[in-house]
Amino acid sequence: MVDIAVYCEGHTEWFVVYKLQKIGVLSSAYLLGSKEYEERKYIDKTWIKNSIKDLFKEPGILINPSYTNILLIYDQEKKPKANDIPQEITKKAQKKGLSLTFETDNFSNVFYAKVNGSNISLFVSDKPGPDGNRDFDGYIVELLECAGPEIIANLLSDKDIMTISSLRKKVQHLPAKEETVYLLGREDIPGLMSQRDWGVQRSKTLLYSIITAAQINKSHVLFSGDVVEKAPAEKLKQVFAPLIAAWDALVAMAAMDA
């Protein structure tokens, strides 16, 4: 099986990839670091490169440690085009003595390259939040918008996620509890903030609004993983189609190299 190293901007990205691979949406490859996570229950900072400049530590080396198959995940944020991210990486690489050229295919936010014997896929997170900032959290928000009540129902019924047993028993008897909790998080709390001239700006804020409505005692990182686990498979494949394409491209490039 192909090994893939995922270097990304934050913990959410790595954890969501881990969950997608664990449930089989990302297949035919193994996510490096999975075993260590399962043993320790925390994400090794080896895989977290918070800025693009963190990719380049030594002349002539893209990433240290480097691997044969690498998936990079970075936010577009306020940049006008997803293509601005591979251009930024290319410029940083040139300063470190690396010749790196990215190509694209079916998705405008997925790019491919080869350098020093490594296959590279770059997934640019381009989902806009309320203020237009484009980041990875936007994909979790979109997933909730696609199947929010169903996901919330699955979350509320899971005793390992809903740790407050008395609350879990209470909501089980509420009519339309899934819609109630989802709309509290997606509309009512943001609406109240807007009334106070303190409107929601970022996708992450929306995630915490829904976490608050559901009264789940978790960070947005762990919550995002739970949302992925509880979402319908067809919605995962729809929302994360570009990410799946980036993953599958590495599998295909590795097969060509074999």
Side-chain angles (χ1 to χ4, degrees):
M1 182 175 283
V2 176
D3 290 338
I4 294 180
V6 175
Y7 291 100
C8 48
E9 196 159 352
H11 289 73
T12 302
E13 291 91 326
W14 194 93
F15 193 56
V16 166
V17 171
Y18 165 77
K19 290 290 186 177
L20 289 170
Q21 195 248 346
K22 187 174 181 180
I23 63 179
V25 173
L26 297 176
S27 59
S28 303
Y30 172 74
L31 173 63
L32 291 170
S34 295
K35 181 180 178 182
E36 290 78 5
Y37 171 77
E38 288 163 2
E39 289 175 349
R40 306 172 194 167
K41 295 304 177 188
Y42 67 84
I43 301 167
D44 194 322
K45 290 185 178 179
T46 299
W47 315 109
I48 312 303
K49 307 295 181 184
N50 297 111
S51 68
I52 289 173
K53 68 180 181 181
D54 292 332
L55 295 172
F56 307 96
K57 295 298 186 183
E58 301 172 47
I61 298 176
L62 175 63
I63 303 175
N64 189 13
S66 186
Y67 294 93
T68 304
N69 303 293
I70 298 171
L71 173 58
L72 304 177
I73 303 177
Y74 277 91
D75 292 340
Q76 181 176 334
E77 294 188 336
K78 293 292 187 179
K79 292 181 172 60
K81 305 184 300 295
N83 190 49
D84 291 335
I85 301 301
Q87 289 181 0
E88 182 179 348
I89 293 175
T90 296
K91 289 178 182 177
K92 296 284 186 184
Q94 288 174 346
K95 291 180 180 179
K96 289 292 185 178
L98 282 172
S99 178
L100 185 59
T101 302
F102 282 98
E103 298 178 356
T104 191
D105 193 3
N106 296 325
F107 294 95
S108 61
N109 62 327
V110 179
F111 306 88
Y112 314 102
K114 284 180 174 286
V115 60
N116 290 355
S118 291
N119 299 314
I120 311 293
S121 276
L122 167 64
F123 170 74
V124 178
S125 305
D126 65 349
K127 290 296 178 184
D131 68 344
N133 188 73
R134 296 175 181 271
D135 60 22
F136 194 84
D137 294 321
Y139 288 86
I140 308 301
V141 170
E142 183 182 2
L143 193 57
L144 285 160
E145 289 176 345
C146 288
E150 181 177 351
I151 293 170
I152 294 298
N154 292 333
L155 291 172
L156 293 177
S157 63
D158 191 321
K159 62 182 177 61
D160 292 326
I161 295 173
M162 285 292 292
T163 55
I164 308 173
S165 59
S166 59
L167 175 62
R168 188 170 65 253
K169 290 175 182 176
K170 180 180 179 180
V171 298
Q172 284 175 350
H173 301 292
L174 287 177
K177 61 181 181 299
E178 301 87 5
E179 290 83 356
T180 298
V181 172
Y182 176 69
L183 291 175
L184 275 169
R186 188 62 184 87
E187 295 183 6
D188 295 354
I189 295 174
L192 179 61
M193 292 174 66
S194 294
Q195 289 177 24
R196 297 288 187 178
D197 293 325
W198 192 249
V200 169
Q201 296 296 301
R202 295 297 172 94
S203 294
K204 188 178 274 84
T205 307
L206 285 174
L207 294 182
Y208 273 108
S209 178
I210 294 171
I211 290 170
T212 300
Q215 302 193 60
I216 294 173
N217 185 26
K218 287 193 173 184
S219 70
H220 72 280
V221 175
L222 296 177
F223 177 71
S224 295
D226 290 338
V227 168
V228 166
E229 278 197 325
K230 301 302 182 181
E234 67 273 12
K235 297 300 183 183
L236 289 171
K237 292 175 182 177
Q238 173 187 321
V239 171
F240 288 109
L243 179 58
I244 295 169
W247 179 275
D248 289 346
L250 287 174
V251 175
M253 284 190 279
M256 291 176 64
D257 293 341

